[in-house]
Amino acid sequence: MISVLAQERLLGAALGSALVGIIILENKRNIYETISENNAKFGNQSQVDKPILKSHSHFEIAHLWNKAVDKTFGSLIESLSSRGW
């Protein structure tokens, strides 16, 4: 026989899962309703003609990424390399 504590935990997990599932489904339903209302209001016009990443070459994106990482972690890298790590 399962102990009372284990039964309470199982019941709590089941009720919590059901509650979270209901909340997620309601949020999804609201999101889909909002999207369909906006599509009906503004039509199915796409506001973006081309993908954002296609406007830059891959080398430019990699260069920007490397600059951002260097700027963010530059002082940490310098301190670790000065200690011989």
Side-chain angles (χ1 to χ4, degrees), residues 47-81:
Q47 294 180 356
V48 178
D49 294 334
K50 62 180 182 176
I52 295 171
L53 295 178
K54 293 289 182 183
S55 63
H56 297 290
S57 71
H58 293 289
F59 295 113
E60 290 176 16
I61 294 172
H63 179 69
L64 291 174
W65 173 262
N66 289 337
K67 272 178 71 175
V69 169
D70 288 343
K71 187 175 181 182
T72 305
F73 296 114
S75 59
L76 175 67
I77 293 170
E78 287 176 11
S79 68
L80 287 177
S81 36

Side-chain angles (χ1 to χ4, degrees), residues 1-72:
M1 182 96 194
I2 272 184
S3 70
V4 174
L5 183 62
Q7 288 177 358
E8 287 179 354
R9 287 184 179 174
L10 285 173
L11 179 64
L15 291 176
S17 298
L19 179 66
V20 167
I22 290 170
I23 290 172
I24 289 173
L25 289 175
E26 284 293 317
N27 284 337
K28 270 184 155 181
R29 187 179 60 84
N30 288 337
I31 288 170
Y32 288 135
E33 282 180 5
T34 305
I35 289 172
S36 64
E37 286 174 5
N38 286 339
N39 283 342
K41 191 184 299 182
F42 299 113
N44 283 333
Q45 300 171 354
S46 175
Q47 294 180 356
V48 178
D49 294 334
K50 62 180 182 176
I52 295 171
L53 295 178
K54 293 289 182 183
S55 63
H56 297 290
S57 71
H58 293 289
F59 295 113
E60 290 176 16
I61 294 172
H63 179 69
L64 291 174
W65 173 262
N66 289 337
K67 272 178 71 175
V69 169
D70 288 343
K71 187 175 181 182
T72 305

